[in-house]
Amino acid sequence: MSTLANQLAAAEREEVARAVRLLLARPLLTETADPTGFELVRRRRESLAQWFDYTCGWSLVVEPRRGYARLTKVRANPDGSRPARRARSGRAPFDRLRYVLLCVTAAELLSMPMTTIGMLADRVVQATAADRALAAFDPVRKPERMAFVDVLKLLESYDVLRAVDGTTEAYVESAEAKVLYRVDTTLLMRLPAAPVGASRLAVPPDEVPARFEELLTGLVRERRYGGAIVDGTADETHSESAATDAQRNLRLRHSVLRRLFDDPVLHRADLAEDELAYISSLTGRQILRRSVEQAGFLLEERAEGFLLVDPDGIATDVRFPDDTSTARVAALLLLEPLCATPAGMLPEQLAEAGAGLLRRFPRWAKAYQSEDGAVRLSDDAVRVLRDVGLVRAAGGRVVACPAAYRYRLTETTSPDPDDKLGPGWDVSERERVGAVVSGGVAAEGDQQ
């Protein structure tokens, strides 16, 4: 092969690797939001589609003319570690009201290529009033208008909605605000990632709460792995026996590599017995290492598990340590007592540790300087640690995972000489590579 051909092949490998990491962090990539990234994905879309299909069993759709690329992430064990977040209010996670409004709003937008915020709100009012399982939407109340605006801002961030006249935020202050939207219904239909449509799970509304976990499993059921579908849900009784050896191996490959490429850290203890056997086999290890290399990651393998490190930070949607919020600072500070207590800490002990931080730094965390502030601070910090795979719940306690021991707080600094913790705090880690934890979006459960 000529020198030029070698250079071209190396350039293609580098571009594919960069695009893989870009899509892991942003499963919905639009030309408007990232023209350079979208052009890279558009140019290498065939190689990317093949890589994602073989490695993770995820489909990639690239629409050059419509200006978007959609990586459809599917997980057999969806969780809430990547919720949809509000554009306002410190990017707080969506609550039940906002998720309900998101689903209803998306359904109403499917038939509306152009709309105004008032017309859309009226449609949502009618839809929620007609469904006895939903609380009626009342735009007269400001908190509900705020929730509606959060939903619309999320859809705007996906480029599903585009305000051509007026601003969405104006609706918070007045239900009479005038905003005109253009709707991309094609892109809207690309948002759901579940392989099984919710309409196929014909379940009476009264039974949904009791069967929620079963229904969630049914939504992410993939026929390619064998098994039967009965009444819209997976028939676990015959699923394993009905699958062929090839289907079982395919499921194992995808289930392990999906978690490896989508989670901050993968502990061996969290793998099922057959998954651990697969990743320990000669074939499994070869596929793992080849896939990691092709995606441009560095593989850190320990006795306790695996961690992918992105040297460029492209695939990292959540960084730790991170000083962008009080909860993230508290999360790092709480790692020390958690790691010093191998048996784990009770909620009461964590609350006391949070109270100790508030006493130690009285000018810090002002939003938590209240009667229940210590409990809220410790709860928020533990949620951060759980989402990045550094702690787990066990027997009513919060226990540090092996990956948590890679961090160590050595110093705190602040521009304020009277307060040793604040906007300028600084940390050092046991290993510098631990400062960036790789992972992907989506769902945001898949949010995007």
Side-chain angles (χ1 to χ4, degrees):
M1 186 179 291
S2 67
T3 302
L4 177 59
N6 285 331
Q7 293 175 342
L8 292 174
E12 180 178 357
R13 287 194 298 270
E14 291 177 3
E15 289 188 351
V16 169
R18 185 177 184 85
V20 164
R21 287 173 284 151
L22 182 62
L23 287 167
L24 286 172
R26 301 174 62 181
L28 176 59
L29 182 66
T30 64
E31 187 175 19
T32 302
D34 186 354
T36 303
F38 178 76
E39 172 58 23
L40 177 62
V41 170
R42 184 201 64 77
R43 190 166 60 250
R44 300 300 182 189
R45 59 186 181 276
E46 292 184 5
S47 298
L48 290 168
Q50 292 172 2
W51 188 91
F52 278 112
D53 179 65
Y54 177 83
T55 305
C56 301
W58 291 335
S59 65
L60 173 65
V61 175
V62 181
E63 294 285 356
R65 294 184 178 180
R66 303 194 70 90
Y68 72 84
R70 175 63 166 128
L71 175 64
T72 306
K73 291 184 178 182
V74 181
R75 291 281 297 269
N77 53 338
D79 59 51
S81 62
R82 296 182 180 94
R85 294 188 177 274
R86 311 174 200 181
R88 309 170 304 111
S89 306
R91 292 191 58 76
F94 268 33
D95 54 14
R96 179 183 178 85
L97 170 62
R98 285 165 172 81
Y99 278 121
V100 168
L101 288 177
L102 175 61
C103 294
V104 175
T105 300
E108 295 301 322
L109 286 172
L110 282 174
S111 60
M112 305 171 71
M114 294 287 291
T115 187
T116 66
I117 197 168
M119 291 173 57
L120 182 58
D122 289 342
R123 293 279 293 266
V124 173
V125 168
Q126 295 170 15
T128 55
D131 192 329
R132 60 188 177 88
L134 303 178
F137 173 55
D138 183 6
V140 173
R141 301 181 62 248
K142 185 173 181 179
E144 300 210 15
R145 292 202 306 274
M146 293 174 63
F148 189 51
V149 165
D150 288 333
V151 166
L152 298 180
K153 294 298 291 183
L154 180 69
L155 293 173
E156 284 185 80
S157 72
Y158 295 159
D159 282 340
V160 167
L161 277 183
R162 185 170 302 176
V164 295
D165 186 23
T167 59
T168 303
E169 291 84 349
Y171 191 73
V172 173
E173 299 302 325
S174 173
E176 303 302 320
K178 306 298 182 184
V179 189
L180 177 65
Y181 294 109
R182 179 177 289 112
V183 185
D184 188 335
T185 55
T186 302
L187 182 54
L188 177 62
M189 289 188 289
R190 290 287 185 190
L191 293 186
V196 178
S199 60
R200 293 184 57 193
L201 306 182
V203 178
D206 295 341
E207 296 182 17
V208 171
R211 300 178 58 185
F212 181 77
E213 295 298 329
E214 173 194 348
L215 295 173
L216 190 60
T217 300
L219 287 175
V220 296
R221 179 71 177 178
E222 296 173 84
R223 292 183 179 274
R224 70 167 80 189
Y225 305 132
I229 303 293
V230 178
D231 295 330
T233 58
D235 182 4
E236 301 295 340
T237 306
H238 302 95
S239 62
E240 191 63 23
S241 60
T244 66
D245 288 342
Q247 288 172 324
R248 281 191 289 269
N249 287 333
L250 185 66
R251 178 185 62 81
L252 289 172
R253 181 173 81 223
H254 289 166
S255 64
V256 172
L257 293 181
R258 283 174 178 180
R259 296 176 66 178
L260 182 68
F261 282 102
D262 206 31
D263 289 343
V265 62
L266 179 60
H267 292 96
R268 294 179 189 271
D270 295 331
L271 293 173
E273 184 177 344
D274 55 352
E275 292 175 327
L276 185 58
Y278 176 82
I279 206 67
S280 302
S281 68
L282 178 61
T283 299
R285 295 176 70 84
Q286 288 176 339
I287 292 175
L288 181 151
R289 291 174 176 172
R290 184 174 66 246
S291 300
V292 168
E293 181 182 359
Q294 290 170 342
F297 286 102
L298 300 178
L299 175 64
E300 182 176 319
E301 184 175 354
R302 302 288 181 89
E304 300 85 1
F306 308 87
L307 174 69
L308 295 188
V309 178
D310 181 357
D312 303 312
I314 299 170
T316 305
D317 63 330
V318 176
R319 296 178 182 273
F320 187 86
D322 185 9
D323 63 353
T324 57
S325 73
T326 300
R328 293 188 178 280
V329 177
L332 181 65
L333 294 172
L334 285 183
L335 272 184
E336 185 174 5
L338 279 165
C339 291
T341 314
M345 297 177 68
L346 292 167
E348 296 80 7
Q349 294 174 303
L350 287 164
E352 178 54 36
L357 293 177
L358 294 175
R359 290 192 297 269
R360 182 182 174 191
F361 308 110
R363 301 189 183 189
W364 170 69
K366 294 182 179 179
Y368 295 92
Q369 298 285 354
S370 62
E371 184 177 350
D372 64 342
V375 174
R376 291 189 294 110
L377 180 63
S378 62
D379 286 348
D380 290 348
V382 167
R383 188 177 299 109
V384 170
L385 294 172
R386 186 179 64 244
D387 288 349
V388 296
L390 297 182
V391 301
R392 59 183 174 85
R397 294 174 178 265
V398 176
V399 181
C401 296
Y405 293 86
R406 64 191 298 114
Y407 301 96
R408 179 182 60 196
L409 181 68
T410 60
E411 181 183 10
T412 60
T413 62
S414 170
D416 186 348
D418 297 326
D419 194 352
K420 297 301 183 184
L421 187 65
W425 70 279
D426 191 16
V427 300
S428 297
E429 309 87 88
R430 294 182 190 272
E431 301 179 52
R432 185 68 186 92
V433 72
V436 178
V437 182
S438 74
V441 172
E444 285 172 359
D446 192 9
Q447 310 105 305
Q448 294 189 323

